[in-house]
Each structure stands twice: as structure tokens, then as C-alpha cells.
Amino acid sequence: MDNTENQNTQVENTQTDNTAVADSQNQAPQMSMADQIATRNKQLQTSEIPNQRGVTKDITINAGTKYEYTLTIQYPGIGIASQIEDDATNPNGSIRFSDLMQGAVESDVFVSPHIKSVAFWDSHKGYGEVAHEVLSFLNDGIDGNLE
């Protein structure tokens, strides 16, 4: 057999159950559909994180001043957190704090004290600081990074 015939000859290695096929270039065998599904199912199980709904965080506002106070905020779950952010986002992508905070109040994100109205900040400093903390907290939950 000369070089030309040798180059044109392909070697195929197949198993009788068709679960893997390798070609003459020593590529890795292809997974069967059943093996791919099993691998993906295992990934789904091993990639799970603890449920973040209900995770709380204490935030201290105006730290180190005479106006310092601490709030406990609670993650409302991915659906509500996403909706709060969607409702507070302008078409240009910026966040409207008024809508963000109203959504957080209405969704019981503030659990201690249980704040029932944004009017709470008529007599407490730090509305903007709280809004930034809430946005960061909701984003961490949406990203699955709360602990």
C-alpha cells in the first residue's frame, strides 16, 4: 500500500452498543445521548446551592454617627427580587430608587424593624445608603451569592 492509499484509509473504532465512536485521529469518544443526559442530571444535582429565600442580612446605616441604626433585610426569593429590580429599572438601565424602595417595602424586604412605608426615611437619615444596600443584596441573591 503506498502513501496515497494509506492517507485515504480511515480507521473507525465502534463499540457494539454504539455508546462511543473514535476516529483515526485519536479524538475522544462521543458520549451517547443517555450518557449526556445522565451527566447533565448529575451536574444539576451537584450545582445546587441552598435555597436563598429568607436569608437575612443586618445592615448598619450612618455607621459611627449619632444617626446610626441597623436594619435586617430579608431576601424575598428570585421571582420577587427580579420583579422589584425590573419595576425600578429605567429603559436606559439606571435604577429609580423610589421604585426600588417602594417595591422592597411592599415585598417585606425590611423585617426588623418591619418598615411599612418609605415615609420611615422622613425621620431617619440614610435613604440613599439603604437603597444601595438593598440593590446590592437583591443582586447578590439573584446571582446566588447569599450565604
Side-chain angles (χ1 to χ4, degrees):
M1 185 182 291
D2 65 22
N3 255 352
T4 305
E5 287 178 24
N6 197 15
Q7 290 173 350
N8 291 331
T9 304
Q10 291 186 350
V11 178
E12 187 174 291
N13 177 14
T14 60
Q15 295 180 347
T16 56
D17 65 358
N18 290 326
T19 58
V21 176
D23 66 17
S24 63
Q25 297 172 351
N26 294 325
Q27 292 179 342
Q30 295 177 352
M31 294 176 87
S32 71
M33 183 61 81
D35 287 341
Q36 288 177 8
I37 291 170
T39 298
R40 289 179 183 172
N41 286 341
K42 178 131 177 101
Q43 284 177 326
L44 286 174
Q45 291 171 354
T46 60
S47 66
E48 276 188 21
I49 60 172
N51 189 336
Q52 296 185 96
R53 186 176 184 167
V55 170
T56 60
K57 178 182 180 182
D58 291 335
I59 56 173
T60 300
I61 307 303
N62 305 310
T65 72
K66 70 179 188 174
Y67 302 107
E68 179 178 312
Y69 59 97
T70 299
L71 301 172
T72 301
I73 55 178
Q74 179 174 285
Y75 187 67
I78 190 97
I80 293 172
S82 295
Q83 192 63 56
I84 291 169
E85 286 198 26
D86 287 350
D87 291 347
T89 304
N90 285 321
N92 67 1
S94 64
I95 298 291
R96 293 183 307 271
F97 281 166
S98 59
D99 291 334
L100 174 79
M101 293 294 282
Q102 187 64 43
V105 166
E106 290 173 359
S107 299
D108 294 323
V109 170
F110 301 100
V111 294
S112 181
H114 184 222
I115 298 172
K116 298 180 182 180
S117 169
V118 293
F120 172 87
W121 287 279
D122 286 339
S123 59
H124 292 83
K125 290 181 71 152
Y127 177 82
E129 185 179 352
V130 173
H132 283 287
E133 289 283 346
V134 167
L135 181 60
S136 177
F137 182 70
L138 294 177
N139 282 331
D140 285 345
I142 289 169
D143 291 339
N145 293 328
L146 295 177
E147 294 181 11

